[in-house]
Amino acid sequence: MLKPPLKVRLAAFIASLWVKSLRVRLSTPENFAPGVLGAWHKDLLAATAAFKKWGVHALISESKDGNLYATVAENLGYVVTRGSSSHGASNVRHLLKALNEGKFVGMALDGPHGPAMEIKPGSPWLSKSSGRPLWGLNVKYGLHFTLKTWDNFVLPLPLTSIDIEIKLSL
């Protein structure tokens, strides 16, 4: 993989510090085990903070924004696969391999372009194909901004508390 430009690496360093500052409390069911971690696109920063250093395999868009997010995710211990569930089944198959090896994978349930809060087929397919659970994340924020984007992206303020409840999705 090519090294990102200096401005992307600098922005990713600052964003990584921001994500590390978030105070995440996870609530997991007793049967929580490796599977697909499905977050809505608006909650990706919270999900990234919650599972840093877990070695989660994440599918991240090849877009310009995806370049920054992929660098942040790698800085936080994620294994990144670039692509999307709609443009490149081979990319999703990398995640299937990780699931079959007993690892967690993560992706946006509503994909990189939406529509928001509508589950795309990639996450359920991965869950069914691997026989691993699809875990949904219910996120509650402390201090935050909601951006006026297609997904209403949530930007938690540094040092804020975030509660994430994980439930079996399908």
Side-chain angles (χ1 to χ4, degrees):
M1 188 167 136
L2 293 173
K3 195 173 193 180
L6 180 59
K7 67 181 180 178
V8 171
R9 288 181 296 173
L10 181 58
F13 174 73
I14 293 166
S16 297
L17 291 176
W18 185 333
V19 171
K20 286 179 183 180
S21 81
L22 301 174
R23 299 172 184 164
V24 180
R25 290 183 295 258
L26 280 178
S27 173
T28 61
E30 284 185 26
N31 63 342
F32 187 57
V36 180
L37 300 167
W40 297 118
H41 198 274
K42 70 183 185 93
D43 296 323
L44 287 179
L45 273 181
T48 303
F51 301 103
K52 64 184 180 281
K53 298 182 184 174
W54 282 40
V56 172
H57 289 247
L59 181 63
I60 299 177
S61 162
E62 293 177 313
S63 69
K64 203 175 208 182
D65 290 342
N67 291 338
L68 175 60
Y69 184 58
T71 306
V72 170
E74 287 173 339
N75 288 349
L76 297 172
Y78 286 78
V79 178
V80 173
T81 297
R82 300 301 300 275
S84 74
S85 58
S86 60
H87 296 106
S90 63
N91 297 329
V92 176
R93 293 188 201 294
H94 287 292
L95 299 183
L96 180 59
K97 182 178 182 230
L99 283 168
N100 289 334
E101 293 171 353
K103 297 177 176 139
F104 282 97
V105 303
M107 58 194 307
L109 291 169
D110 45 2
H113 302 292
M117 311 291 285
E118 286 186 24
I119 297 177
K120 297 286 178 95
S123 299
W125 180 87
L126 275 171
S127 176
K128 184 177 179 182
S129 296
S130 66
R132 299 284 181 169
L134 173 54
W135 301 106
L137 281 59
N138 182 20
V139 183
K140 292 189 172 56
Y141 294 92
L143 298 173
H144 67 280
F145 292 105
T146 301
L147 303 181
K148 293 180 182 182
T149 56
W150 69 266
D151 58 352
N152 292 317
F153 195 83
V154 178
L155 199 58
L157 295 178
L159 303 171
T160 200
S161 294
I162 300 172
D163 292 306
I164 298 178
E165 181 182 16
I166 299 175
K167 290 187 174 184
L168 193 57
S169 184
L170 295 174

